[in-house]
Amino acid sequence: MFFAACVSLAVYSVALVASPGPRPESAATEEGFGAAARLALTSRDVAGLLSGERPWEWPENTRSLTRHGETFTLKSTLDRDLQSYLESKLDTRHSAVVALAAVDPDTGNILALVGDGEAADGENPCLRADYPAASVFKMITAAAAVEAHDLTGDELIAYRGNDHTLYRYQVGRRESRRSRNTTLENAFARSINPVFGKIGIYLLGHDLLKQKAESFGFGKALGSELPVETSRAPVPDDDFGIAECASGYNRETRISPLHGALLAAAAVNGGLIFSPAVIDSVYAENGDLLYKHLPEVRSIACSPKAAERLGRLMTATVTEGTARKTFRRAERDPVLSELIMGGKTGTISNGEDKNRLLYDWFVGYARRPEDGKKLAIACLVVHDKVLGTKAAKYARWAFTRYFEDNLPG
């Protein structure tokens, strides 16, 4: 039978990379690891079970599958209420693609995978790494600069020209009387390209920027049971190419929305990238537990201190930066007023005059201090000829719904 060899070997591997400081509260206990060792299926086996399946389309969180004469019952990690709610909010009439991926920051468990649009070719766009990361990549640049130079966000950085352009003169060493000073926090919140271009050239350089991109999961498989494409961030050798990459002002850096949610998660889980999981457990026909997902740290993106400071930069984006209009009056909202929220926006066109598309990102998190409940989300909207619902709006809806239905106590 298909899984006979796996069952007879009774092998279940869990890779939990050592991380600085205490493990997340959701990590497995010693007893949990002992129980897992006696189980029969590996995550690779579960990926085989899921071949051709789309858990986000299952009517319920459990599903029975028959493979080579054996019947298995799979339980997913999805939050069905959040999944259904976001599906009901999709605005595809004005958008070529909408992709909304939400995860639990402390486990990597996938809570929602919502996607639709003609350009998705029938596949869930949350799993595709075909989309320019744009200014979302500023998260990696900021984390690298904070970690390497112990920046707090208050440091002044001089720049010239428009905030959202990037020309060679804007990233030169020489300043002029027209140069302006801004803080790293303000530059992040307002997404000022020349500031991040200069950080890339003069504070980081090729090797450090490339290393930090890899630690955040670019160029590496995420280790999910789902067929998630690998994000990529080629860092050029020349100074201006480094500036373009560091500021996100290019179309070569590509990322999947699911990976984007993991980037946001790292800002509120101490700097960890977890393998995203959509299956919580698998049972045999007789009810025996064959598989139980345990959180797997795929990489250490940055130090806990850098993650905390990145989280504060992201909060500034929501309170006074590029997402402030979407989240205005949040302090008066009965749900959002109880949350600490942060994010990073990003927009870039496909560069074509005909069939012009605009990629619109919001990658962010929400955390409720009262009970520690967290949500990380990446929202991507590929706008067509007419601008549809913006990515940040989907995130606001998701935060409201998720925390409204998960009240403490």
Side-chain angles (χ1 to χ4, degrees):
M1 294 183 180
F2 185 60
F3 286 98
C6 297
V7 174
S8 63
L9 288 173
V11 174
Y12 178 85
S13 61
V14 177
L16 185 62
V17 178
S19 59
R23 290 182 297 182
E25 293 178 1
S26 55
T29 62
E30 294 294 333
E31 180 181 355
F33 277 111
R38 297 191 294 273
L39 300 183
L41 302 181
T42 68
S43 57
R44 181 173 296 183
D45 299 326
V46 176
L49 277 174
L50 281 178
S51 180
E53 287 290 321
R54 298 179 178 183
W56 54 90
E57 294 182 355
W58 294 352
E60 299 177 347
N61 251 23
T62 58
R63 185 176 181 86
S64 292
L65 301 174
T66 300
R67 296 286 187 265
H68 297 269
E70 296 183 58
T71 300
F72 302 87
T73 299
L74 286 69
K75 180 181 178 181
S76 85
T77 62
L78 294 173
D79 182 313
R80 284 292 157 187
D81 178 78
L82 182 63
Q83 176 80 19
S84 298
Y85 174 76
L86 291 177
E87 288 174 348
S88 73
K89 305 296 285 187
L90 286 180
D91 173 19
T92 56
R93 189 163 65 95
H94 298 114
S95 308
V97 175
V98 181
L100 316 172
V103 301
D104 179 340
D106 287 338
T107 63
N109 285 354
I110 298 171
L111 301 177
L113 278 179
V114 178
D116 197 12
E118 294 178 2
D121 297 328
E123 298 296 328
N124 193 316
C126 292
L127 307 179
R128 298 184 60 177
D130 285 346
Y131 310 110
S135 288
V136 170
F137 195 80
K138 287 184 173 76
M139 294 173 61
I140 286 76
T141 305
V146 165
E147 194 166 58
H149 299 278
D150 198 28
L151 303 184
T152 64
D154 296 327
E155 295 81 4
L156 290 176
I157 304 171
Y159 74 101
R160 292 186 287 171
N162 189 283
D163 290 0
H164 301 136
T165 58
L166 190 69
Y167 297 105
R168 293 181 186 276
Y169 84 89
Q170 290 183 279
V171 293
R173 284 190 178 275
R174 296 182 60 183
E175 300 301 334
S176 71
R177 288 180 299 175
R178 296 184 178 181
S179 295
R180 291 168 285 168
N181 289 323
T182 189
T183 63
L184 173 62
E185 180 177 293
N186 187 56
F188 187 94
R190 291 170 49 199
S191 206
I192 300 176
N193 286 329
V195 168
F196 279 84
K198 294 178 72 174
I199 289 174
I201 296 172
Y202 304 116
L203 292 187
L204 302 179
H206 171 275
D207 292 349
L208 187 53
L209 189 60
K210 182 175 184 292
Q211 177 186 352
K212 188 52 61 177
E214 291 174 352
S215 69
F216 270 90
F218 285 87
K220 297 181 177 180
L222 294 177
S224 176
E225 326 97 309
L226 294 172
V228 189
E229 294 180 357
T230 301
S231 301
R232 54 196 184 275
V235 181
D237 293 319
D238 65 291
D239 281 355
F240 191 68
I242 291 171
E244 289 180 312
C245 180
S247 62
Y249 201 73
N250 68 10
R251 298 183 184 88
E252 287 71 43
T253 302
R254 302 271 172 153
I255 189 173
S256 69
L258 181 54
H259 187 188
L262 298 175
L263 300 185
V268 284
N269 69 14
L272 306 177
I273 299 293
F274 281 92
S275 291
V278 75
I279 297 300
D280 173 75
S281 50
V282 180
Y283 296 85
E285 192 169 7
N286 64 2
D288 287 348
L289 179 65
L290 299 177
Y291 171 86
K292 177 64 179 177
H293 169 70
L294 296 176
E296 178 187 344
V297 176
R298 199 68 176 175
S299 67
I300 300 174
C302 60
S303 68
K305 178 191 285 188
E308 189 272 334
R309 291 181 182 175
L310 175 61
R312 280 194 278 138
L313 297 179
M314 295 171 70
T315 295
T317 298
V318 169
T319 57
E320 57 195 69
T322 52
R324 69 188 183 282
K325 290 183 180 179
T326 301
F327 287 90
R328 62 186 172 187
R329 299 190 182 92
E331 71 279 1
R332 303 179 188 176
D333 185 277
V335 176
L336 299 182
S337 62
E338 300 297 319
L339 307 178
I340 295 174
M341 299 176 289
K344 185 70 196 78
T345 62
T347 55
I348 194 168
S349 73
N350 63 349
E352 298 177 6
D353 293 332
K354 295 182 178 179
N355 301 319
R356 187 177 178 85
L357 299 173
L358 181 67
Y359 298 88
D360 168 26
W361 284 98
F362 180 89
V363 170
Y365 68 82
R367 175 173 64 86
R368 186 165 54 199
E370 183 177 354
D371 60 358
K373 193 79 175 180
K374 304 172 186 175
L375 182 70
I377 194 166
C379 305
L380 168 68
V381 181
V382 183
H383 300 280
D384 208 337
K385 297 179 179 61
V386 179
L387 289 180
T389 302
K390 296 193 69 175
K393 184 68 172 179
Y394 284 110
R396 179 171 177 144
W397 284 334
F399 292 158
T400 302
R401 183 68 174 197
Y402 185 70
F403 288 94
E404 182 180 59
D405 288 351
N406 289 272
L407 298 175

